[in-house]
Amino acid sequence: MEISKIEAILSLDSTAVVTVRGETVEWISGAITEPTDLEITTEQARLQAEYDAKEYARDRANEYPSIADQLDDIFHNGLDAWKATIQTTKDKYPKP
């Protein structure tokens, strides 16, 4: 996922009202101090790095069994077996 200019602008000021057409930012709200292009691209980079750093969590969430299956695993096989199942996914997608 690529962080858009609008996401970066709203991260800098959640009250901003803007449109983006290509590389052109059109400011609709007049009551804010408009961030510079450098501030916007810096915020895009910061948000992208934050998003990228959490890839392991998204990968884990996609691979974990459903909560119902996890509870069934605990009921039938006990906590140690459940922990082993979960640990397999954690090992596959380690936290940086």
Side-chain angles (χ1 to χ4, degrees):
M1 179 179 106
E2 186 176 324
I3 303 298
S4 70
K5 280 188 173 189
I6 289 180
E7 290 172 292
I9 291 167
L10 292 175
S11 176
L12 291 167
D13 185 341
S14 63
T15 66
V17 181
V18 300
T19 60
V20 176
R21 295 183 198 329
E23 291 298 312
T24 304
V25 178
E26 296 177 18
W27 296 90
I28 297 168
S29 57
I32 66 166
T33 302
E34 298 172 8
T36 65
D37 286 339
L38 178 60
E39 289 171 324
I40 294 170
T41 56
T42 299
E43 184 65 3
Q44 278 180 287
R46 185 191 73 76
L47 291 172
Q48 188 68 54
E50 189 177 275
Y51 176 83
D52 292 346
K54 295 178 182 172
E55 181 178 18
Y56 78 94
R58 291 186 301 278
D59 290 341
R60 285 179 180 182
N62 289 331
E63 195 151 320
Y64 284 140
S66 70
I67 296 297
D69 288 343
Q70 289 184 49
L71 290 172
D72 193 51
D73 188 24
I74 292 168
F75 179 80
H76 290 288
N77 304 310
L79 283 174
D80 289 336
W82 168 77
K83 286 179 183 179
T85 300
I86 297 302
Q87 192 62 52
T88 300
T89 302
K90 287 181 176 284
D91 291 343
K92 186 175 179 180
Y93 303 107
K95 192 174 188 178

